[in-house]
Amino acid sequence: MSTPDLTQLTEAVKTGKRKDAKAITEEALAAQCPPGEILEALKVGMDDVGRRFKANEIFVPEVLVAARAMKTSMELLEPVLAASGIKAQYRVVIGTVEGDLHDIGKNLVAMMLKGSGFEVIDLGTNVSAAAFAEAVKTHNAQLVGLSALLTTTMPAMRVTVEALRSEGLAVKIMVGGAPITSDYATEIGADGYSADAASAVELARSLMEVAA
Protein backbone atom coordinates (compact mmCIF):
# COMPACT_ATOMS: atom_id res chain seq x y z
CA MET A 1 0.00 0.00 0.00
CA SER A 2 1.40 3.36 -0.99
CA THR A 3 1.78 6.01 1.68
CA PRO A 4 -0.84 8.75 1.29
CA ASP A 5 0.18 12.32 0.66
CA LEU A 6 -0.28 13.98 4.03
CA THR A 7 -0.40 17.42 2.46
CA GLN A 8 -3.87 16.34 1.34
CA LEU A 9 -4.79 15.89 5.00
CA THR A 10 -3.53 19.38 5.73
CA GLU A 11 -5.69 20.71 2.89
CA ALA A 12 -8.72 18.75 4.11
CA VAL A 13 -8.41 20.44 7.50
CA LYS A 14 -7.86 23.88 6.00
CA THR A 15 -10.98 23.52 3.84
CA GLY A 16 -13.07 21.78 6.50
CA LYS A 17 -13.65 18.57 4.53
CA ARG A 18 -14.46 16.09 7.28
CA LYS A 19 -15.00 13.05 5.05
CA ASP A 20 -11.71 13.64 3.26
CA ALA A 21 -9.87 14.12 6.57
CA LYS A 22 -11.29 10.87 7.91
CA ALA A 23 -10.53 8.92 4.73
CA ILE A 24 -6.95 10.17 4.44
CA THR A 25 -6.29 9.48 8.14
CA GLU A 26 -7.67 5.95 7.81
CA GLU A 27 -5.52 5.39 4.72
CA ALA A 28 -2.42 6.76 6.47
CA LEU A 29 -2.95 4.57 9.53
CA ALA A 30 -3.57 1.50 7.35
CA ALA A 31 -0.29 2.23 5.56
CA GLN A 32 1.40 2.42 8.98
CA CYS A 33 2.38 6.03 8.47
CA PRO A 34 4.07 7.33 11.67
CA PRO A 35 1.32 8.83 13.85
CA GLY A 36 3.53 11.80 14.69
CA GLU A 37 3.68 12.71 10.99
CA ILE A 38 -0.11 12.54 10.72
CA LEU A 39 -0.43 14.78 13.76
CA GLU A 40 2.02 17.25 12.26
CA ALA A 41 -0.09 17.44 9.09
CA LEU A 42 -3.12 18.31 11.22
CA LYS A 43 -1.15 20.94 13.15
CA VAL A 44 0.04 22.59 9.94
CA GLY A 45 -3.56 22.80 8.75
CA MET A 46 -4.88 24.30 11.98
CA ASP A 47 -1.97 26.75 12.17
CA ASP A 48 -2.93 28.02 8.73
CA VAL A 49 -6.58 28.29 9.80
CA GLY A 50 -5.52 30.28 12.86
CA ARG A 51 -3.35 32.60 10.78
CA ARG A 52 -6.15 33.31 8.30
CA PHE A 53 -8.68 33.80 11.09
CA LYS A 54 -6.44 36.32 12.81
CA ALA A 55 -5.98 38.15 9.51
CA ASN A 56 -9.77 38.32 9.03
CA GLU A 57 -9.49 36.22 5.87
CA ILE A 58 -11.92 33.67 7.32
CA PHE A 59 -14.43 33.86 10.16
CA VAL A 60 -15.82 31.76 13.02
CA PRO A 61 -18.04 29.48 10.86
CA GLU A 62 -15.08 28.50 8.67
CA VAL A 63 -12.87 27.94 11.70
CA LEU A 64 -15.49 25.70 13.31
CA VAL A 65 -15.81 23.63 10.12
CA ALA A 66 -12.02 23.24 9.94
CA ALA A 67 -11.83 22.34 13.64
CA ARG A 68 -14.49 19.66 13.18
CA ALA A 69 -12.53 18.15 10.30
CA MET A 70 -9.45 18.09 12.52
CA LYS A 71 -11.47 16.52 15.35
CA THR A 72 -12.71 13.75 13.05
CA SER A 73 -9.13 12.87 12.22
CA MET A 74 -7.95 13.17 15.84
CA GLU A 75 -10.60 10.70 17.00
CA LEU A 76 -8.94 8.08 14.81
CA LEU A 77 -5.40 9.18 15.60
CA GLU A 78 -5.50 9.58 19.39
CA PRO A 79 -5.64 5.84 20.26
CA VAL A 80 -2.69 5.21 17.96
CA LEU A 81 -0.71 8.09 19.45
CA ALA A 82 -1.40 6.75 22.94
CA ALA A 83 -0.40 3.21 21.97
CA SER A 84 2.84 4.43 20.43
CA GLY A 85 3.71 6.43 23.53
CA ILE A 86 3.48 9.82 21.84
CA LYS A 87 2.13 12.33 24.34
CA ALA A 88 1.27 15.97 24.06
CA GLN A 89 4.06 18.12 25.41
CA TYR A 90 1.67 20.36 27.33
CA ARG A 91 -1.65 19.83 29.09
CA VAL A 92 -4.24 22.59 29.44
CA VAL A 93 -7.36 22.76 31.59
CA ILE A 94 -10.01 24.98 30.05
CA GLY A 95 -13.51 26.06 31.03
CA THR A 96 -16.03 28.86 31.39
CA VAL A 97 -16.07 30.31 34.90
CA GLU A 98 -18.76 29.81 37.51
CA GLY A 99 -22.12 31.41 36.73
CA ASP A 100 -21.49 31.55 32.98
CA LEU A 101 -23.04 29.04 30.56
CA HIS A 102 -21.54 30.36 27.31
CA ASP A 103 -19.30 27.92 25.51
CA ILE A 104 -18.91 28.72 21.79
CA GLY A 105 -15.72 30.75 22.22
CA LYS A 106 -14.33 28.35 24.78
CA ASN A 107 -15.05 25.38 22.52
CA LEU A 108 -13.33 27.06 19.61
CA VAL A 109 -10.22 27.76 21.68
CA ALA A 110 -10.23 24.17 22.97
CA MET A 111 -10.45 22.72 19.45
CA MET A 112 -7.70 24.95 18.12
CA LEU A 113 -5.41 24.14 21.05
CA LYS A 114 -6.01 20.45 20.47
CA GLY A 115 -5.29 20.85 16.78
CA SER A 116 -2.04 22.58 17.71
CA GLY A 117 -0.84 19.63 19.74
CA PHE A 118 -1.98 20.47 23.27
CA GLU A 119 -3.76 17.90 25.42
CA VAL A 120 -7.00 19.62 26.40
CA ILE A 121 -9.09 18.87 29.49
CA ASP A 122 -12.35 20.73 28.86
CA LEU A 123 -14.34 21.22 32.07
CA GLY A 124 -17.29 22.77 30.25
CA THR A 125 -19.26 25.72 31.59
CA ASN A 126 -20.18 27.07 35.02
CA VAL A 127 -16.93 25.72 36.51
CA SER A 128 -16.11 26.61 40.10
CA ALA A 129 -12.70 27.84 41.21
CA ALA A 130 -12.28 24.66 43.26
CA ALA A 131 -13.04 22.49 40.22
CA PHE A 132 -10.37 24.27 38.18
CA ALA A 133 -7.81 23.80 40.95
CA GLU A 134 -8.71 20.13 41.38
CA ALA A 135 -8.43 19.48 37.65
CA VAL A 136 -4.99 21.11 37.50
CA LYS A 137 -3.79 18.83 40.29
CA THR A 138 -5.48 15.70 38.93
CA HIS A 139 -4.16 16.11 35.39
CA ASN A 140 -0.87 17.80 36.30
CA ALA A 141 -1.69 20.60 33.85
CA GLN A 142 0.78 23.32 32.99
CA LEU A 143 -1.78 25.78 31.65
CA VAL A 144 -5.29 26.97 32.49
CA GLY A 145 -7.66 28.79 30.14
CA LEU A 146 -10.52 30.76 31.70
CA SER A 147 -13.44 32.13 29.70
CA ALA A 148 -16.15 34.61 30.71
CA LEU A 149 -18.76 36.05 28.37
CA LEU A 150 -20.73 38.13 30.87
CA THR A 151 -19.63 41.18 32.83
CA THR A 152 -21.46 39.67 35.80
CA THR A 153 -19.16 36.64 35.80
CA MET A 154 -15.90 38.57 35.55
CA PRO A 155 -15.55 38.49 39.37
CA ALA A 156 -15.66 34.67 39.20
CA MET A 157 -12.64 34.80 36.92
CA ARG A 158 -10.78 36.84 39.54
CA VAL A 159 -11.81 34.38 42.26
CA THR A 160 -10.56 31.47 40.14
CA VAL A 161 -7.18 33.07 39.49
CA GLU A 162 -6.82 33.82 43.21
CA ALA A 163 -7.75 30.23 44.09
CA LEU A 164 -5.17 28.79 41.71
CA ARG A 165 -2.50 31.15 43.07
CA SER A 166 -3.38 30.44 46.69
CA GLU A 167 -2.98 26.70 46.03
CA GLY A 168 0.58 27.42 44.95
CA LEU A 169 0.06 25.60 41.66
CA ALA A 170 2.86 26.01 39.11
CA VAL A 171 0.49 26.80 36.28
CA LYS A 172 0.19 29.58 33.72
CA ILE A 173 -3.25 31.21 33.45
CA MET A 174 -4.66 32.76 30.31
CA VAL A 175 -8.04 34.47 30.08
CA GLY A 176 -10.43 35.63 27.40
CA GLY A 177 -14.02 36.45 26.53
CA ALA A 178 -16.09 39.36 25.29
CA PRO A 179 -15.86 41.62 28.38
CA ILE A 180 -12.25 40.75 29.22
CA THR A 181 -9.35 43.07 28.42
CA SER A 182 -5.61 42.89 28.70
CA ASP A 183 -5.77 45.40 31.57
CA TYR A 184 -8.27 43.23 33.44
CA ALA A 185 -6.08 40.16 32.94
CA THR A 186 -3.16 42.03 34.49
CA GLU A 187 -5.34 43.34 37.31
CA ILE A 188 -6.48 39.88 38.41
CA GLY A 189 -3.03 38.33 38.11
CA ALA A 190 -3.47 36.24 34.97
CA ASP A 191 -0.41 35.53 32.83
CA GLY A 192 -1.97 36.54 29.55
CA TYR A 193 -5.05 37.61 27.60
CA SER A 194 -6.16 36.72 24.09
CA ALA A 195 -8.88 38.38 22.07
CA ASP A 196 -9.62 35.41 19.82
CA ALA A 197 -8.98 31.70 19.36
CA ALA A 198 -6.00 32.09 17.04
CA SER A 199 -4.31 34.47 19.47
CA ALA A 200 -5.06 32.02 22.28
CA VAL A 201 -2.97 29.34 20.58
CA GLU A 202 -0.09 31.77 20.10
CA LEU A 203 -0.39 32.90 23.71
CA ALA A 204 -0.45 29.34 25.01
CA ARG A 205 2.69 28.48 23.08
CA SER A 206 4.52 31.59 24.26
CA LEU A 207 3.54 31.00 27.89
CA MET A 208 4.82 27.42 27.72
CA GLU A 209 8.09 28.54 26.09
CA VAL A 210 8.61 31.05 28.90
CA ALA A 211 7.83 28.39 31.51
CA ALA A 212 10.16 25.81 29.90
Side-chain angles (χ1 to χ4, degrees), residues 95 109 145-149 157 174-181 185 192-196:
V109 171
L146 306 178
S147 175
L149 272 291
M157 184 176 277
M174 62 185 207
V175 298
I180 309 303
T181 64
Y193 156 80
S194 65
D196 56 58

Side-chain angles (χ1 to χ4, degrees), residues 33-41 77 81 86:
C33 185
E37 292 183 12
I38 303 174
L39 178 62
E40 184 60 28
L77 185 60
L81 287 169
I86 297 175

Side-chain angles (χ1 to χ4, degrees), residues 87-94 117-121 132-133 135-145 164-165 169-174 191 203-212:
K87 297 181 180 179
Q89 187 174 5
Y90 301 115
R91 193 173 294 122
V92 53
V93 169
I94 192 169
F118 286 79
E119 181 181 343
V120 178
I121 296 93
F132 274 111
V136 169
K137 289 183 279 190
T138 299
H139 298 283
N140 192 29
Q142 296 91 7
L143 183 65
V144 175
L164 292 168
R165 298 302 188 209
L169 298 170
V171 65
K172 295 291 185 179
I173 304 170
M174 62 185 207
D191 295 294
L203 174 62
R205 286 174 174 164
S206 66
L207 289 175
M208 290 300 91
E209 287 169 4
V210 169

